[in-house]
Amino acid sequence: MKPSLIKLIEDSIRQNWDLKALTDFNGETLQYKDVARKIEKLHLMMEAAGIRPGDKIALCGRNSSNWCVAFLATLTYGAVIVPILHEFKPDNIHNIVNHSEARLLFVGDQVWENLNENSMPALEGILCLRDFTLTACRSDDLDYARRHLNELFGRKYPKLFTVDDVGYPAESSEEEVAVINYTSGTTGFSKGVMLPYRSLLSNILFCRSKMKLRQGDNMVSMLPMGHVFGMTADFLYGITQGAHLFFLTRMPSPKIIINAVAQVHPRIIACVPLVIEKIVKKEILPRIDNKIGKLLLRLPIINEKIKERVREESIRLFGENLQEIVVGGASFNAEVEAFLRKIKFPCVNGYGMTECGPFICYSPWEESAYTSCGRAADRMEVRVISPDPQRIPGELICRGTNNMLGYYKNPEATAQVIDKDGWLHTGDMAVISESGHVYIKGRCKNMLLSSSGQNIYPEEIEAKLNNMPFVNESLVVMSREKLVALVYPDFDEALRNGFDEKKLAELLDQSRTDLNRELPAYSQLTRIVLQSEEFEKTAKKSIKRYLYQQTDI
């Protein structure tokens, strides 16, 4: 019998009835049976609001147990869930709710403070994620159902709600839309990606076949679940495996993450590369040897005893139960990756996009090649459009079960990325090895052209810049046909080491000179310009490049 996403969810709830399912860190814990009861109560409210299968329900808030409950209740009711990143501006949230034609909105307290219900006139009701109370309502039946919810629930289940009462109608077709996920993208525009049930199911089955999560294992959710990487690799994979998910419920700084994982002992962690890079540089290396510090990243040979010590300390910091960290959503710093490989630390880079729900490429860390994002995911094909795909970068295209149906109410944008043969054009430049390992070089639109006609991939230069002393992050831009690096330094660390802004600028300029010796003449940097503030980013921590494409610096 062909598997079904709704059946996976139903089976997991029934089989893990008495196990812990969802915990708000230092807060409430829900068992799978608690999740089932909450789902059933939300179904009663949806029914009262006149929600029909296929209707849209929006969801916007920080990661939390109730966020998951609202998501699962929507899917198992047969409605379409529209997760919205809580970092989006109020105008964008209003526009997404209206564009998606959502009839209900689940919203977190912090988000709701800045929203205006009159800007979302089609909503039947707005429910607070904290306790599912109605913060606004345009339906008398919904209002009645919420005020008498326990009474209605007791009337429907007079002999208590048991595991035998759990049963959800399966999706009628794998091509049905399950999720409309609005992209966070670096271009400033949101498009509604229509992900069918087959895409979500294929991604979950792929995680099951490649990762090693077991029933009862713990996971710490760091990625925003409003973004498809966190939604699939953390939440849906975890819940269908019978795992116990913990939500930080606040911004995941390196110290907060280290404290959380030390208590939770997660088996699998999914996050963006920036998180791991910061933890390696700010938490792991200083604990090993303050004198060596970042130099360990650049040492070609590391003593075996140091390797063993660093690996043991790293695993201990992540809770001693760690099987693998999967990073994605941005390029992984090559020197950090090389260091982690030297100490045999289980961290691997995958590759995907919202339009594929998200996996396009991934291989377990024991099988993945250095600086590669792995091989094509199961049920996916990948190609590089190039006269020599192994040596000359070209656009990566993919086709398969994970692919989206298209962009909601936007056939023009859909036609721009999916060609007549069903290939999705990723917009990323890549090469692919004979063994099938894919190496991402950078975004097509980010590629810079030198005055001599050479292609320059700024991400490759930025990866090297970010390993310089006192550099937090960087961005390489073209100004007057010259390459300039914008650098946001670690001013506090620099001051602690006796460098004021003038001395810091001199040090970074010397580092630029050293770096240029490693780079071809056409991609050498002419200047470094210090930035006083951190670069503005998307929810997946990619720099919004379009904000910094200065032509005259």
Side-chain angles (χ1 to χ4, degrees):
M1 185 176 175
K2 197 169 185 179
S4 147
L5 175 59
I6 300 301
K7 192 72 168 65
L8 285 185
I9 294 169
E10 179 186 315
D11 288 348
S12 182
I13 289 173
R14 292 168 65 95
Q15 292 163 11
N16 302 296
W17 189 251
D18 291 313
L19 294 183
K20 293 176 181 177
L22 309 168
T23 295
D24 294 330
F25 201 64
N26 294 328
E28 183 185 12
T29 292
L30 300 179
Q31 294 178 307
Y32 278 84
K33 59 186 175 186
D34 300 321
V35 172
R37 289 191 185 96
K38 284 176 176 278
I39 286 174
E40 193 60 33
K41 288 184 176 182
L42 289 181
H43 283 180
L44 289 172
M45 292 179 65
M46 291 173 186
E47 187 177 350
I51 303 299
R52 298 178 297 273
D55 282 349
K56 321 299 189 303
I57 295 178
L59 170 59
C60 186
R62 290 183 180 276
N63 290 2
S64 69
S65 298
N66 279 351
W67 190 103
C68 297
V69 169
F71 189 106
L72 293 173
T74 301
L75 274 191
T76 54
Y77 189 84
V80 177
I81 189 73
V82 184
I84 304 171
L85 289 162
H86 71 273
E87 293 96 338
F88 279 172
K89 302 293 184 187
D91 284 351
N92 203 6
I93 295 173
H94 293 152
N95 288 336
I96 290 171
V97 168
N98 295 332
H99 183 265
S100 67
E101 302 166 297
R103 296 191 59 202
L104 290 178
L105 168 65
F106 291 94
V107 66
D109 289 338
Q110 292 172 310
V111 176
W112 174 239
E113 287 175 7
N114 300 306
L115 297 186
N116 181 352
E117 65 190 86
N118 295 323
S119 297
M120 301 173 286
L123 288 175
E124 297 287 337
I126 300 171
L127 295 95
C128 174
L129 277 173
R130 177 175 24 85
D131 54 9
F132 297 125
T133 53
L134 284 165
T135 59
C137 185
R138 298 186 176 103
S139 164
D140 291 340
D141 289 341
L142 175 59
D143 180 59
Y144 178 88
R146 183 63 189 94
R147 286 188 290 108
H148 299 85
L149 190 56
N150 289 333
E151 177 188 335
L152 293 171
F153 185 75
R155 194 182 303 162
K156 185 171 182 179
Y157 301 102
K159 295 182 180 180
L160 300 179
F161 182 78
T162 71
V163 66
D164 295 327
D165 293 310
V166 175
Y168 307 124
E171 57 271 31
S172 59
S173 166
E174 64 177 12
E175 293 299 315
E176 269 188 82
V177 178
V179 175
I180 301 178
N181 200 194
Y182 283 78
T183 59
S184 58
T186 52
T187 60
F189 301 101
S190 294
K191 297 189 289 290
V193 175
M194 294 186 290
L195 293 173
Y197 281 93
R198 62 160 162 77
S199 173
L200 298 182
L201 178 62
S202 178
N203 274 279
I204 292 166
L205 295 178
F206 178 59
C207 290
R208 284 184 159 194
S209 69
K210 298 295 183 182
M211 300 178 195
K212 301 177 177 68
L213 193 65
R214 305 163 305 191
Q215 181 188 47
D217 277 338
N218 291 342
M219 298 179 77
V220 176
S221 182
M222 302 178 200
L223 296 161
M225 291 186 299
H227 188 274
V228 73
F229 186 20
M231 183 181 77
T232 303
D234 277 346
F235 168 44
L236 289 175
Y237 172 45
I239 209 74
T240 55
Q241 285 291 95
H244 181 190
L245 279 65
F246 289 77
F247 306 107
L248 299 178
T249 67
R250 50 183 173 159
M251 288 297 289
S253 70
K255 283 194 181 297
I256 287 172
I257 290 169
I258 288 298
N259 289 336
V261 296
Q263 295 180 53
V264 172
H265 303 281
R267 186 168 175 82
I268 302 288
I269 292 174
C271 63
V272 293
L274 186 62
V275 168
I276 297 303
E277 290 161 16
K278 284 185 175 180
I279 287 174
V280 168
K281 293 177 182 179
K282 293 184 177 292
E283 298 292 329
I284 292 177
L285 294 179
R287 298 187 188 208
I288 305 307
D289 190 332
N290 284 326
K291 294 179 181 177
I292 296 178
K294 283 188 182 180
L295 288 176
L296 273 178
L297 289 174
R298 313 192 79 155
L299 293 176
I301 299 173
I302 303 177
N303 178 282
E304 289 299 323
K305 287 186 177 179
I306 293 180
K307 280 186 191 177
E308 186 178 344
R309 181 183 164 201
V310 175
R311 185 182 189 280
E312 287 176 358
E313 178 69 8
S314 302
I315 294 292
R316 188 185 67 76
L317 281 174
F318 281 96
E320 300 181 301
N321 189 41
L322 186 68
Q323 189 70 33
E324 185 174 74
I325 295 176
V326 182
V327 298
S331 59
F332 197 15
N333 185 293
E335 289 184 13
V336 171
E337 183 184 355
F339 169 74
L340 294 176
R341 282 179 171 270
K342 284 173 190 171
I343 65 171
K344 294 183 171 60
F345 184 80
C347 183
V348 67
N349 192 28
Y351 169 74
M353 56 194 300
T354 303
E355 288 80 351
C356 291
F359 282 102
I360 297 173
C361 300
Y362 161 82
S363 296
W365 76 277
E366 307 97 323
E367 303 171 19
S368 190
Y370 174 56
T371 71
S372 159
C373 58
R375 298 185 178 93
D378 295 347
R379 297 168 292 280
M380 292 293 287
E381 301 174 76
V382 296
R383 288 184 185 171
V384 170
I385 304 173
S386 165
D388 185 356
Q390 292 184 33
R391 296 174 183 81
I392 301 173
E395 186 180 14
L396 183 71
I397 60 176
C398 64
R399 182 172 66 179
T401 308
N402 294 7
N403 281 23
M404 68 172 179
L405 295 170
Y407 296 115
Y408 187 57
K409 295 195 294 191
N410 198 339
E412 297 83 6
T414 302
Q416 288 173 7
V417 298
I418 300 179
D419 64 29
K420 61 182 178 62
D421 296 316
W423 290 98
L424 189 149
H425 292 245
T426 67
D428 286 312
M429 302 292 284
V431 293
I432 184 167
S433 71
E434 190 175 353
S435 62
H437 283 91
V438 174
Y439 300 80
I440 303 296
K441 296 299 180 181
R443 295 289 291 166
C444 297
K445 64 189 176 188
N446 293 346
M447 188 185 75
L448 304 173
L449 195 65
S450 74
S451 55
S452 59
Q454 297 281 356
N455 294 340
I456 300 168
Y457 302 100
E459 294 94 338
E460 295 182 344
I461 304 172
E462 291 157 8
K464 295 180 181 294
L465 278 167
N466 293 343
N467 281 325
M468 289 180 174
F470 311 127
V471 174
N472 267 332
E473 54 187 3
S474 63
L475 193 66
V476 172
V477 299
M478 186 75 76
S479 176
R480 298 179 183 178
E481 298 190 346
K482 301 289 186 183
L483 286 182
V484 176
L486 311 181
V487 169
Y488 172 58
D490 189 332
F491 288 108
D492 291 339
E493 186 183 356
L495 282 173
R496 282 195 297 270
N497 284 272
F499 290 89
D500 58 21
E501 189 166 332
K502 182 180 178 182
K503 287 183 179 178
L504 177 60
E506 291 171 356
L507 174 67
L508 291 177
D509 194 59
Q510 181 57 52
S511 296
R512 176 189 65 84
T513 302
D514 296 340
L515 174 59
N516 280 344
R517 295 193 187 102
E518 303 175 26
L519 299 171
Y522 62 81
S523 64
Q524 292 186 357
L525 299 169
T526 56
R527 275 189 303 151
I528 285 181
V529 179
L530 299 188
Q531 305 294 294
S532 59
E533 296 181 350
E534 186 175 342
F535 294 109
E536 199 169 325
K537 299 184 184 70
T538 68
K540 66 176 185 178
K541 305 307 176 188
S542 299
I543 295 172
K544 293 183 177 179
R545 289 178 178 269
Y546 68 95
L547 297 177
Y548 302 93
Q549 300 300 329
Q550 299 103 322
T551 56
D552 187 14
I553 299 175

